[in-house]
Amino acid sequence: MKRKIILISCLLTVLSLTACNDSPKLSKLSEQDVISAFIKEAQKRIDSHGKVGIKKDTIPSSALKDYPTTFDLRHVDTDNDGEYENYVTGVKFQRPFGTCWSFGSTAAAETSILYDLQQEAIVDNKDTIDLSEHHTAWYAYTPMPQTDRQGGEGLISMVDGVNENQSLKLNSGSTQFAASSLWASGMGVVQEPEFDETSREKEAQLNYRGKNAIKTVTEKGYPVYSKEDDWSVDESLRFRQSYMLENSFYLPQSVFIKEDGTMDIDYADLASKTYKEQLMNGRALVLGFKADAYLADKVEGIPKYINGKTWAHYTYEPSGPNHSVCVVGWDDNYSRTNFLSEIQYTINGEPVFDKTGKPIMKKVPQPPKDGAWIVKNSWGALNTNSQGLTTSDWGIDGTGYFYLSYYDMSIDSVEAYDFDVTNSIKGELGAYVIEQYDLMPNEAPHNIETNFPIAEGNVFVAEESETIKFISCVSTEYNEDMHITFYKSNGENLDYNHPVLEFDKQFNQKGIHVIALPKTISLDKGEKIGVAITQKNDKQQYFLSIGSEWNKKGYDSKLCDDKYYAVGVVNKNESFIILENQVIDFADLKLKMENLDGAASYLTYDNFPIKLYASIEKL
């Protein structure tokens, strides 16, 4: 008999972090050294704002191998038996909101789950798995309720009219990293109920429509659900989860611009191998790129990058992304000649014509080499039904798909996902809690780099007797070594001199990871547990993984490209930094940095992304 799973957020009261035995020794390093490292990272983000292709990533050695010339997750002979399976769900329609990031992420999640289950994606013209884009998009911009210890934490929408209509927060824009940070916290992914337009049940809010199913039409006359409806999702649905995120993979940006202003083609070829590695493992990708429009049917002047005849897209100049999509395959032989070679000349966005009324054209670069990604968009298709609405004729033969050049100069924020599809983790845990404080969605992974040893940690108190079995952490560098140490309380304080568990873990990939402990740790009610993680790469640089976003000051200074600002809530005695023999409460450090006049004052910081998964008595 399947045991009931209980997932609750942590509402914990934590006491002193002071080490209980020896007094701290004199240290050459100080709190100011840590603050300086945070300021340096913040200044780097300000200096790089709006710039594209300024960093080369390390390419993991596991990806450096030969791959087939073509691959498509819609047509895979998994067992080499001559029969082909489709692991890609139908094309959806994101209108009326700018929720592409949620649709692209959810599409990638669906394919990853289906591939691991070896389950056909569409049967009798219905998706066999249909995850809720609405759930992810809504909670990204719905801060934690004030009744929670982390109350008020989250992203605050600044979309025009949002105070009068909260549904408009779905137009705030975001990235796929926000989706995975939500999922890692137990907020999704969640299966949608069977679609029923007339249903007013609470679970029906997981479908992508307003509560009253009010309809309108797009500029081209396609029916969509109206943004003037009530799109809110009940707070009781926040921590719904059908599949647990076990790993995410942060993949390198494929664009690096050399000093002469040209793209580094060799680096792009290497980066593309990391994408192919994930796809070959059945994981679709979600990525951002610069589209001519951010919504289907949203006319924004003359197309600059996409060939409307071949549906081949190439952003031929460095540019930040404005749209997220799902990559399901590739074709090395897709000809570079399929991409635009000329576009109509414009002045201030207006097309220019000669005396006879003929458009004046100008040449634009085509990709330097053949090759394209096969991309699933979220702008509808003729052969799919999205939430009961016939959608659009967008894409190749109206399928909703297009080709994106390997050498597109705007590809960014690439991620893939791996889920616990058999519920082996949940099965091991039974009834469980996630001990966590980091509940602010993160729109990009960040770390603080130091040239001296440093560790980050969280401390929790058991509300009931529990047994810790898994830990979740974030690696932000390739080939990263982690040293993980657990401390229990000895009386009122944590005993830093006698760890109850220490182990090392190496991650070749960047991303979110859920890992089993080498041995379980049991806690009595009221007992404290502290966990510290030291991260370093193969160059002996040390890192703190940290959630941070632009605060209201950063938004007002136009450092945030989307329509939001963030609030991070770090209470005292939750997160800490260990610097030699010093234990620094991160809440104190955060307050000092936010009160400075420098770069760090434009950012808000969250608790460290360390979560513990603990079995509890069945409630």
Side-chain angles (χ1 to χ4, degrees):
M1 181 176 176
K2 198 171 182 179
R3 290 202 286 172
K4 183 179 179 183
I5 306 304
I6 301 170
L7 176 63
I8 61 174
S9 70
C10 302
L11 305 172
L12 303 175
T13 303
V14 185
L15 302 177
S16 171
L17 277 171
T18 308
C20 67
N21 291 331
D22 298 337
S23 299
K25 300 175 183 178
L26 292 176
S27 171
K28 296 179 182 179
L29 295 169
S30 69
E31 182 182 274
Q32 186 56 48
D33 293 299
V34 182
I35 292 176
S36 296
F38 273 85
I39 292 173
K40 181 178 179 181
E41 189 269 344
Q43 189 61 55
K44 185 185 298 184
R45 285 167 66 176
I46 291 174
D47 293 343
S48 63
H49 181 252
K51 298 179 181 178
V52 179
I54 59 176
K55 180 185 177 183
K56 270 188 180 181
D57 250 322
T58 302
I59 305 299
S61 57
S62 63
L64 301 180
K65 55 190 175 185
D66 293 330
Y67 296 93
T69 56
T70 62
F71 183 76
D72 191 336
L73 283 163
R74 297 172 296 175
H75 194 67
V76 184
D77 186 0
T78 312
D79 302 322
N80 294 316
D81 59 359
E83 295 185 6
Y84 291 84
E85 291 79 35
N86 169 34
Y87 300 114
V88 182
T89 53
V91 172
K92 308 299 192 298
F93 201 31
Q94 72 180 67
R95 290 295 294 265
F97 295 112
T99 47
C100 58
W101 61 276
S102 181
F103 275 79
S105 302
T106 303
E110 289 170 344
T111 290
S112 174
I113 292 167
L114 286 162
Y115 187 89
D116 283 350
L117 291 173
Q118 292 293 284
Q119 180 175 312
E120 204 46 53
I122 302 173
V123 176
D124 295 331
N125 204 32
K126 288 185 178 181
D127 292 332
T128 58
I129 287 178
D130 191 0
L131 302 176
S132 176
E133 300 88 0
H134 190 185
H135 183 274
T136 296
W138 180 260
Y139 288 115
Y141 287 93
T142 303
M144 292 297 296
Q146 292 298 335
T147 53
D148 193 279
R149 184 180 175 89
Q150 311 307 122
E153 179 163 282
L155 305 183
I156 312 299
S157 175
M158 296 295 286
V159 170
D160 290 342
V162 72
N163 291 332
E164 293 74 35
N165 179 8
Q166 280 291 297
S167 300
L168 297 179
K169 70 171 68 173
L170 297 174
N171 255 339
S172 303
S174 193
T175 73
Q176 36 277 24
F177 299 123
S180 58
S181 64
L182 284 168
W183 300 341
S185 295
M187 299 181 229
V189 295
V190 60
Q191 176 81 13
E192 291 184 4
E194 185 75 20
F195 180 76
D196 179 358
E197 185 178 74
T198 65
S199 174
R200 299 296 180 264
E201 298 296 323
K202 183 171 63 176
E203 279 68 21
Q205 297 169 22
L206 299 174
N207 289 307
Y208 195 72
R209 63 168 174 83
K211 291 178 180 176
N212 300 307
I214 300 172
K215 295 174 185 167
T216 184
V217 294
T218 69
E219 291 85 343
K220 289 187 177 180
Y222 296 117
V224 294
Y225 290 107
S226 172
K227 63 184 177 182
E228 302 305 323
D229 203 345
D230 177 6
W231 288 68
S232 62
V233 181
D234 193 273
E235 181 60 29
S236 65
L237 297 174
R238 182 187 288 267
F239 286 98
R240 288 290 181 92
Q241 186 181 72
S242 300
Y243 296 95
M244 179 186 289
L245 181 69
E246 190 169 4
N247 292 285
S248 78
F249 304 90
Y250 304 154
L251 302 179
Q253 178 176 305
S254 63
V255 182
F256 178 74
I257 307 302
K258 297 186 289 188
E259 290 185 1
D260 63 2
T262 61
M263 185 179 183
D264 188 328
I265 304 302
D266 292 336
Y267 172 72
D269 288 337
L270 290 175
S272 71
K273 288 181 176 288
T274 68
Y275 303 175
K276 291 178 178 179
E277 179 186 32
Q278 295 297 327
L279 288 161
M280 285 293 293
N281 286 322
R283 303 184 192 111
L285 311 176
V286 54
L287 59 76
F289 77 107
K290 179 60 179 290
D292 285 315
Y294 70 94
L295 287 174
D297 305 340
K298 189 75 172 179
V299 179
E300 293 186 346
I302 302 298
K304 291 177 62 177
Y305 306 124
I306 194 164
N307 186 335
K309 295 179 180 178
T310 59
W311 297 98
H313 182 105
Y314 175 52
T315 309
Y316 43 78
E317 54 194 352
S319 180
N322 66 348
H323 186 50
S324 293
V325 290
C326 177
V327 175
V328 301
W330 73 79
D331 184 352
D332 289 345
N333 299 320
Y334 191 77
S335 175
R336 60 189 293 271
T337 61
N338 287 315
F339 299 88
L340 287 176
S341 60
E342 61 178 11
I343 62 172
Q344 187 170 358
Y345 191 79
T346 61
I347 298 178
N348 296 325
E350 296 298 323
V352 178
F353 303 86
D354 64 17
K355 294 180 179 179
T356 67
K358 182 179 179 180
I360 297 177
M361 308 298 288
K362 68 174 182 179
K363 295 288 186 182
V364 294
Q366 291 182 306
K369 296 166 66 176
D370 293 345
W373 304 111
I374 302 168
V375 186
K376 174 185 177 182
N377 205 347
S378 54
W379 291 349
L382 290 175
N383 61 349
T384 189
N385 237 335
S386 179
Q387 306 293 63
L389 300 179
T390 302
T391 55
S392 78
D393 59 354
W394 197 91
I396 302 166
D397 298 324
T399 61
Y401 283 81
F402 70 103
Y403 289 99
L404 179 66
S405 170
Y406 292 161
Y407 307 99
D408 187 278
M409 297 181 75
S410 65
I411 291 175
D412 197 3
S413 304
V414 190
E415 192 172 14
Y417 311 115
D418 179 31
F419 291 85
D420 177 25
V421 299
T422 60
N423 284 330
S424 60
I425 295 175
K426 289 184 178 181
E428 175 72 18
L429 288 167
Y432 72 101
V433 292
I434 303 177
E435 308 281 27
Q436 60 180 340
Y437 300 123
D438 56 312
L439 297 171
M440 180 182 75
N442 292 292
E443 298 201 332
H446 295 289
N447 63 32
I448 307 299
E449 178 183 329
T450 72
N451 57 7
F452 49 82
I454 193 170
E456 65 183 35
N458 288 342
V459 62
F460 305 98
V461 170
E463 289 193 326
E464 302 291 339
S465 296
E466 62 182 51
T467 302
I468 301 166
K469 297 182 177 180
F470 295 86
I471 184 174
S472 173
C473 53
V474 175
S475 62
T476 50
E477 295 290 321
Y478 289 108
N479 302 317
E480 183 176 300
D481 291 313
M482 283 192 184
H483 184 72
I484 303 173
T485 309
F486 285 84
Y487 308 92
K488 286 177 70 172
S489 53
N490 181 356
E492 288 294 313
N493 304 310
L494 291 175
D495 185 354
Y496 287 104
N497 292 320
H498 301 93
V500 295
L501 177 63
E502 287 188 82
F503 66 98
D504 295 308
K505 193 75 177 177
Q506 184 179 62
F507 297 104
N508 296 325
Q509 297 277 3
K510 298 191 291 186
I512 301 167
H513 316 279
V514 176
I515 54 178
L517 300 187
K519 69 174 185 178
T520 62
I521 301 173
S522 296
L523 299 175
D524 294 328
K525 181 178 179 179
E527 200 168 10
K528 287 193 296 184
I529 187 73
V531 54
I533 298 180
T534 303
Q535 300 171 252
K536 66 178 181 179
N537 63 12
D538 50 7
K539 299 176 183 177
Q540 301 301 304
Q541 296 166 309
Y542 291 83
F543 302 92
L544 301 175
S545 295
I546 185 68
S548 63
E549 290 292 332
W550 301 114
N551 58 20
K552 184 63 164 56
K553 179 180 176 181
Y555 174 82
D556 291 340
S557 300
K558 302 188 185 304
L559 290 170
C560 181
D561 294 322
D562 291 312
K563 297 177 181 178
Y564 78 96
Y565 69 91
V567 174
V569 176
V570 179
N571 300 301
K572 285 185 69 67
N573 306 317
E574 291 178 344
S575 292
F576 59 93
I577 291 172
I578 296 180
L579 182 67
E580 293 185 336
N581 291 313
Q582 302 174 73
V583 178
I584 303 170
D585 193 314
F586 187 60
D588 296 334
L589 201 70
K590 175 180 184 287
L591 184 62
K592 289 178 181 180
M593 290 188 295
E594 290 179 348
N595 287 330
L596 294 174
D597 292 330
S601 67
Y602 291 90
L603 294 167
T604 187
Y605 295 93
D606 197 3
N607 296 86
F608 296 121
I610 303 171
K611 307 171 190 291
L612 304 181
Y613 296 75
S615 297
I616 58 174
E617 293 289 329
K618 189 181 294 186
L619 299 181

